[in-house]
């Protein structure tokens, strides 16, 4: 007479376990995917670290591989190009992840972009900016002015006090001062270099527009 009770008692844990498992699966399925995350990069760093720096016009979005979108481009200006990069770009195509969470960088047909990267695969962590939106100083920098400062490093600083580092310029990307350093600044050597060629000191080159930006806070 007690057998049905035993069966009912033994079945309750299995039912509870099944419900808990189902709830865990729902929670896992509804957790949002991680967003793309990139460290800020000054245009000079992008130039100096890139295998190629170009101004390219997007002709069309040509195809999708399922994970990446492809864009047909025409290179209008070539400021820097290694042999490996020339091989990468020989077909005139750039690829970017199809989803934002994988750092995809959609491009607009017929628009000109300034691009500094190392391969034909680009994303949000690369320097890919509409050319028309760059300041004159940024355009000149990408055209070769930044090359003079490639022995220096531009070091992001996120606190109220930045630690001085030899051969580097501190850069505060999320401040008004940092905006001026981005749009109008270039980090150049000052003084003698060490035996290994690294400058002992670097500083922000004070152009009139840079000084004006700092004075006006914009």
């Amino acid at each position: 007479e007690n057998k049905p009770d035993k069966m009912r008692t033994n079945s309750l844990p299995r039912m509870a376990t099944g419900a808990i498992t189902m709830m865990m699966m729902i929670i896992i399925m509804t957790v949002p995917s991680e967003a793309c995350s990139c460290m800020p990069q000054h245009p000079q760093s992008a130039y100096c670290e890139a295998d190629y720096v170009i101004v390219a016009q997007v002709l069309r979005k040509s195809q999708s591989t399922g994970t990446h979108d492809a864009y047909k481009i025409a290179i209008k200006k070539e400021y820097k190009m290694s042999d490996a990069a020339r091989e990468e770009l020989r077909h005139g195509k750039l690829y970017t992840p199809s989803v934002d969470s994988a750092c995809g960088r959609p491009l607009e047909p017929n628009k000109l972009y300034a691009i500094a990267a190392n391969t034909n695969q680009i994303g949000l962590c690369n320097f890919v900016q509409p050319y028309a939106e760059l300041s004159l100083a940024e355009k000149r920098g990408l055209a070769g002015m930044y090359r003079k400062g490639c022995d220096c490093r531009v070091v992001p600083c996120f606190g109220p006090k930045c630690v001085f580092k030899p051969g580097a310029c501190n850069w505060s990307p999320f401040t008004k001062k940092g905006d001026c350093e981005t749009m109008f600044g270039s980090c150049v050597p000052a003084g003698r270099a060490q035996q290994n060629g690294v400058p002992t000191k670097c500083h922000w080159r004070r152009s009139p527009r840079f000084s004006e930006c700092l004075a006006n806070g914009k």
Side-chain angles (χ1 to χ4, degrees):
E1 294 180 359
N2 294 331
K3 285 184 179 180
D5 291 336
K6 287 183 179 180
M7 291 178 63
R8 189 161 51 248
T9 302
N10 290 338
S11 66
L12 286 174
R14 287 199 297 270
M15 292 174 63
T17 301
I20 292 171
T21 302
M22 182 63 69
M23 290 178 64
M24 290 179 65
M25 289 178 65
I26 293 173
I27 292 172
I28 292 171
M29 291 173 65
T30 55
V31 172
S33 59
E34 293 185 4
C36 173
S37 178
C38 309
M39 277 291 291
Q41 187 181 43
H42 190 275
Q44 178 171 316
S45 299
Y47 174 92
C48 294
E49 296 171 11
D51 280 346
Y52 68 87
V53 180
I54 60 174
V55 176
Q57 182 180 15
V58 177
L59 301 179
R60 63 183 180 275
K61 185 176 180 180
S62 61
Q63 65 186 48
S64 176
T65 64
T67 59
H68 287 72
D69 294 329
Y71 294 90
K72 184 69 176 177
I73 63 167
I75 297 176
K76 298 299 184 181
K77 296 180 181 180
E78 181 182 305
Y79 297 135
K80 183 180 179 182
M81 184 74 68
S82 68
D83 291 339
R86 194 176 302 282
E87 179 68 15
E88 284 275 328
L89 300 177
R90 71 186 188 281
H91 296 304
K93 285 187 177 182
L94 292 176
Y95 300 86
T96 190
S98 302
V99 293
D100 294 341
S101 60
C103 294
R105 176 61 167 91
L107 304 177
E108 295 182 32
N110 301 318
K111 182 172 281 191
L112 283 175
Y113 288 89
I115 302 170
N118 294 316
T119 71
N120 60 7
Q121 297 199 32
I122 60 170
L124 289 175
C125 295
N126 298 115
F127 184 89
V128 182
Q129 298 293 334
Y131 188 70
E133 297 178 10
L134 298 179
S135 68
L136 181 59
E138 288 175 300
K139 291 177 180 178
R140 288 177 174 173
L142 293 172
M145 188 69 71
Y146 288 145
R147 185 183 296 112
K148 298 179 180 179
C150 282
D151 288 333
C152 297
R153 293 177 299 120
V154 179
V155 180
C157 175
F158 305 104
K161 293 185 178 180
C162 301
V163 178
F164 170 78
K165 296 181 180 180
C169 294
N170 288 320
W171 172 51
S172 304
F174 303 123
T175 65
K176 290 182 178 179
K177 179 174 180 288
D179 289 342
C180 296
E181 293 164 347
T182 299
M183 294 186 294
F184 307 110
S186 58
C187 179
V188 294
R192 298 179 179 178
Q194 303 176 46
Q195 291 183 350
N196 59 4
V198 176
T200 55
K201 185 178 180 181
C202 293
H203 68 98
W204 290 108
R205 180 176 173 271
R206 295 275 178 164
S207 66
R209 190 66 186 90
F210 182 45
S211 299
E212 180 184 345
C213 179
L214 291 176
N216 296 336
K218 62 179 181 179

